[in-house]
Amino acid sequence: PKEIWIIYAIKMLSSYAYFSFSLVLSLYLTNEFGVSDEAAGWAYGIYGVMSTVFGVLGGWVIDYCGVRRSLLLGATLGLVARLALAMATTKVHTFIVLYTILPLSDSLGIPVLTIGIQRYTNDSNRTLAFSLFYSFMNIAALIAGPAVDSLRIFLKDGTDVFGVHFSSLKLVILSGAGAAALMLAVVMVGVREIEVGEDGEVVEFRPVQNSPWMETRRVLQSRTFWRLVLFTLLLIGVRMVFRHMDATLPKYMTRTFGEDAPFGLIYAINPFLIIFLVPIIGALTQDVDNFKMILYGSFVSGASPFWICLGDHYWTVIMFMVTLSLGEAVYSPRVYEYTLQLSEKGKEGLYSSLASAPIYAVKFFVGGISGHLLGKYCPETGTRNGAALWGIVGIMSFSSPILMTIFRNVINPGPEELYAPPPGAMALPHDVSEDAEDPLRAVAVPDDGKASEAEDEVESLVPPV
């Protein structure tokens, strides 16, 4: 249906707004309001915590409201939040928006798009659709990096817009508001509440509107859900590297190489490579087990920060980005596939939000760690030690593949264990033999007399950052 291409357009707009803001958030707080490195880091972290809170609450809202209404609400809140941040004149005003409206808009935007892709496709085209979805996200990231550099370097003193003066960093945020406005217009005229059947027929989709407490309780009693939570927790280390790209890399580069250091251009290496690598790797490895791909890719990405330990040079930073991107192209699309494969039909929002809560929460830890590392190893003035900074980041990121190797039998059990119902639960009808090649295609739901049908058709999900 046309909605699949509309979702791609919305993904580009929302991703540009997200990536451009994330790149300048730490600098924005420090340069505009005099916030210290550590305080700016913790602010970034609290923003992540609030994204977690709203993400968990928003999971039920997404399932209850459906794709269209969730996107309308998320786009509206995103527009309001970014306009407010671009026009903020006090720290109090800024922090209120950063901790409330903005994370709420994120929770009603990014996850919904992924669920939309799942509902607008079927088994015959879902893998390709998600590969394209991931590529469109990275096209936006590729645009965001140079756009940030251009506004920062060529409009250093800012400019007036409709009689109001905006600094270069506020112009970046204002451009994100423009993207949110376009997103809202596209959703209003182009998105329907539908799903595509295996025969290609487009039918109306009716959102699940049961009691939120009942639905949450059913999910929390599922062993499959807790396996998903463990998997997400173990990925935190390698996921932290991507948040350091936002919270740490810009200040590290401007303090090491000068104020005009093109950190946006360096950042753009990642999406540029992802755009081409993800479809190629996806096509060549369709028959490779999900867990193997995630594990191998995590080893590559987890080792990437160690390049900068060789010295503070542009080439080491570039190699860091290249290595990180190679690993990401291998494992990241499979992470989303794993999540939706375990999600019950009609409850994808609740499963995704609860399971991804640790990923949002990682911003809190990265924020605090980033501010501390910058203050100690890369201060504005004084002796700097980039090797120590990125060595510590590397140790934390490399912990993920090591821990996943240790717990691989828990995360990736055989079909017999995965399909076995938990105590007091009822196994859902499923032909194990059909999915012997892919053990990640079942959900067990507690038998409280109202067990729902499991979704066994989902094949992929998308990352956040």
Side-chain angles (χ1 to χ4, degrees):
K2 64 181 176 65
E3 275 80 2
I4 194 74
W5 296 103
I6 292 173
I7 287 291
Y8 290 150
I10 295 171
K11 183 59 178 175
M12 281 193 62
L13 293 169
S14 65
S15 295
Y16 171 80
Y18 174 82
F19 286 125
S20 59
F21 177 73
S22 295
L23 266 175
V24 301
L25 174 56
S26 182
L27 285 172
Y28 165 73
L29 293 175
T30 298
N31 294 2
E32 297 290 331
F33 303 107
V35 177
S36 68
D37 287 343
E38 291 206 26
W42 285 116
Y44 179 94
I46 295 172
Y47 164 51
V49 170
M50 296 311 299
S51 295
T52 301
V53 173
F54 289 124
V56 171
L57 297 176
W60 173 80
V61 174
I62 293 168
D63 292 333
Y64 188 90
C65 294
V67 171
R68 174 179 166 80
R69 285 190 289 176
S70 297
L71 285 176
L72 284 172
L73 180 58
T76 301
L77 292 173
L79 173 59
V80 171
R82 286 177 168 81
L83 284 175
L85 288 169
M87 302 180 72
T89 56
T90 67
K91 285 190 288 188
V92 173
H93 176 182
T94 301
F95 288 140
I96 289 174
V97 176
L98 185 64
Y99 300 156
T100 57
I101 306 176
L102 187 62
L104 178 57
S105 71
D106 289 344
S107 71
L108 293 174
I110 298 171
V112 185
L113 295 172
T114 307
I115 294 170
I117 292 290
Q118 181 254 320
R119 291 182 184 164
Y120 300 155
T121 58
N122 55 31
D123 283 346
S124 66
N125 61 2
R126 189 168 290 132
T127 299
L128 176 60
F130 269 100
S131 293
L132 290 173
F133 179 76
Y134 202 73
S135 293
F136 274 101
M137 179 190 73
N138 281 279
I139 290 173
L142 179 62
I143 295 171
V148 168
D149 277 348
S150 297
L151 291 171
R152 215 171 42 84
I153 294 172
F154 297 117
L155 292 175
K156 283 185 177 181
D157 299 324
T159 190
D160 292 341
V161 179
F162 298 117
V164 179
H165 184 77
F166 292 89
S167 67
S168 59
L169 296 177
K170 287 187 173 183
L171 286 173
V172 172
I173 300 174
L174 190 64
S175 70
L182 286 174
M183 176 180 166
L184 179 60
V186 171
V187 175
M188 290 179 67
V189 301
V191 176
R192 298 173 292 170
E193 202 65 60
I194 62 170
E195 67 175 337
V196 177
E198 288 306 313
D199 58 359
E201 182 182 0
V202 177
V203 297
E204 180 183 1
F205 180 84
R206 296 181 181 275
V208 175
Q209 297 186 334
N210 295 331
S211 162
W213 166 245
M214 182 186 73
E215 298 302 330
T216 302
R217 182 169 60 87
R218 291 158 69 93
V219 171
L220 291 177
Q221 290 177 348
S222 169
R223 285 189 302 174
T224 306
F225 169 74
W226 291 107
R227 181 177 291 113
L228 184 59
V229 170
L230 174 61
F231 168 77
T232 306
L233 286 169
L234 296 184
L235 270 179
I236 283 180
V238 72
R239 293 272 188 168
M240 290 176 73
V241 182
F242 294 95
R243 302 287 63 83
H244 279 291
M245 286 168 58
D246 305 330
T248 309
L249 186 65
K251 283 185 175 179
Y252 162 75
M253 289 194 64
T254 54
R255 292 174 183 180
T256 301
F257 304 114
E259 283 297 321
D260 291 338
F263 63 80
L265 187 60
I266 298 293
Y267 179 91
I269 293 173
N270 173 256
F272 176 79
L273 291 175
I274 291 297
I275 290 168
F276 298 103
L277 289 175
V278 166
I280 295 172
I281 293 175
L284 295 175
T285 61
Q286 292 186 71
D287 297 328
V288 180
D289 177 71
N290 283 329
F291 184 77
K292 287 182 179 179
M293 293 293 289
I294 293 169
L295 186 61
Y296 299 158
S298 296
F299 269 112
V300 176
S301 287
S304 60
F306 293 121
W307 277 106
I308 306 182
C309 295
L310 299 179
D312 296 321
H313 310 290
Y314 273 111
W315 72 267
T316 58
V317 179
I318 291 171
M319 288 305 300
F320 158 55
M321 296 301 295
V322 170
T323 307
L324 177 67
S325 303
L326 287 172
E328 178 191 359
V330 172
Y331 87 86
S332 198
R334 298 301 186 102
V335 171
Y336 303 116
E337 183 174 355
Y338 177 94
T339 303
L340 274 187
Q341 281 175 334
L342 296 180
S343 300
E344 214 180 326
K345 186 175 183 178
K347 301 182 181 66
E348 298 92 345
L350 187 57
Y351 261 81
S352 300
S353 63
L354 290 174
S356 63
I359 295 299
Y360 286 108
V362 76
K363 286 187 176 182
F364 179 75
F365 299 106
V366 171
I369 292 169
S370 172
H372 175 74
L373 292 179
L374 285 167
K376 184 172 183 178
Y377 297 111
C378 193
E380 287 190 79
T381 58
T383 304
R384 302 187 179 99
N385 189 345
L389 191 161
W390 291 102
I392 293 171
V393 172
I395 291 171
M396 290 186 289
S397 65
F398 205 68
S399 67
S400 280
I402 294 175
L403 290 172
M404 282 194 290
T405 301
I406 295 172
F407 290 99
R408 65 184 304 161
N409 291 332
V410 178
I411 301 171
N412 191 42
E416 296 80 5
E417 181 180 344
L418 186 59
Y419 296 139
M426 178 182 69
L428 294 165
H430 195 279
D431 185 354
V432 175
S433 62
E434 291 179 358
D435 295 322
E437 297 299 321
D438 186 355
L440 304 177
R441 297 187 59 166
V443 175
V445 181
D447 182 10
D448 60 358
K450 300 179 181 178
S452 303
E453 291 182 0
E455 168 60 30
D456 61 359
E457 298 174 353
V458 183
E459 292 198 7
S460 52
L461 176 69
V462 152
V465 150

